[in-house]
Amino acid sequence: MKAQDHHLQVPGMRMTKQRKEVYRTLMENQDHPSASEIHNLMKDTESPMSLATVYNCLEALVEHGAVKQVNIDREPTRYCQNSTPHAHFHDQSTGTIHDITFKPGASLTDLIELPKGTEVTNLEISIKGTIPS
Amino acid sequence: MKAQDHHLQVPGMRMTKQRKEVYRTLMENQDHPSASEIHNLMKDTESPMSLATVYNCLEALVEHGAVKQVNIDREPTRYCQNSTPHAHFHDQSTGTIHDITFKPGASLTDLIELPKGTEVTNLEISIKGTIPS
DNA sequence: CAATAAACTTAGAATAATTCTAAATTAATA
DNA sequence: TATTAATTTAGAATTATTCTAAGTTTATTG
């Protein structure tokens, strides 16, 4: 999926005007904004919307796998347009979050062993530290 | 470190009565309780304490690596007495959190590649799903 | 197409985890 | 002992998020 492809169709999800705009905003701001940052970004556009709606839209997008939540400690939840498997590196000196894609062929089961029959619905890997600039 | 070893000494941290009791409570309740659950557990003991103090103590213990935070979505932060490297499996059908130790020899770098000079201060791996009972 | 139902949006109120404040206490240091 | 620094505390404040109830839009059904 290209960054320009805002005409996302998600199976099972009604792509309303608001959801489309929230998704577009996230596509155009790949620095993992929070819900209220997204809300602010949309304030001066032609499609401002309620903060509750931003939350609702993000929830729907997350539920359908188009968007990922980023949970860093007790900071406000941030959102990630990158729906492919990846880890998040939280640079403590800048506060920025970097996406780190998995090595080709790498799998969670390289690290840990899960009982037979385990269903994994979500995997979140967050690394905190510093990256040389 | 054994589960019975409550006389923890953490370099650089003053082990106050309250911190010791919070740590002991966590040792005796390994189901990843939240701050207010810990506070409740201590309510009827001989050393009840302010919720703010529970937060303060946990913060100090986390900061010194004796305790780990478990961040699952927007649920209240839970705390883990297991200070060795491990992942957390959040069973969605029961709400329980299981510690999953890494395979021997396994390393984060099996999964991802970090730029030279990167300093990792914390790694958090949370898996959501279901485990057969 | 008209009528009905379901899903969505919205503003504002409510919730609840966490942090802050300022005063009191305790422990460390000189 | 006197002084300083760190910790504890109760309660207030903060704030991200969820809830509510009403209005709107979209889908569905006859």
Side-chain angles (χ1 to χ4, degrees), chain B residues 4-124:
Chain B
Q4 298 88 326
D5 180 11
H6 298 148
H7 301 284
L8 177 73
Q9 288 286 25
V10 179
M13 187 179 73
R14 206 148 96 187
M15 183 51 84
T16 64
K17 176 173 175 292
Q18 287 87 350
R19 287 173 183 171
K20 205 181 298 184
E21 290 306 316
V22 166
Y23 186 71
R24 180 203 303 279
T25 305
L26 200 52
M27 275 299 182
E28 290 169 354
N29 295 273
Q30 309 205 351
D31 58 340
H32 306 88
S34 66
S36 72
E37 284 168 346
I38 293 171
H39 180 241
N40 282 335
L41 285 164
M42 304 177 83
K43 212 139 215 170
D44 301 321
T45 69
E46 54 197 274
S47 57
M49 71 184 64
S50 158
L51 177 57
T53 302
V54 174
Y55 271 103
N56 290 344
C57 291
L58 288 168
E59 186 185 36
L61 288 162
V62 166
E63 206 159 273
H64 291 86
V67 159
K68 271 183 179 294
Q69 279 182 319
V70 188
N71 300 299
I72 304 279
D73 294 342
R74 287 303 100 191
E75 295 179 19
T77 301
R78 298 166 73 160
Y79 295 86
C80 179
Q81 90 301 340
N82 181 351
S83 61
T84 65
H86 64 280
H88 287 119
F89 190 99
H90 182 235
D91 189 329
Q92 291 176 298
S93 54
T94 64
T96 52
I97 292 177
H98 303 271
D99 286 1
I100 305 194
T101 47
F102 294 148
K103 286 184 181 173
S107 153
L108 176 62
T109 52
D110 298 341
L111 278 191
I112 63 173
E113 206 158 349
L114 290 169
K116 264 199 202 341
T118 302
E119 295 260 4
V120 173
T121 60
N122 190 265
L123 168 62
E124 193 170 353

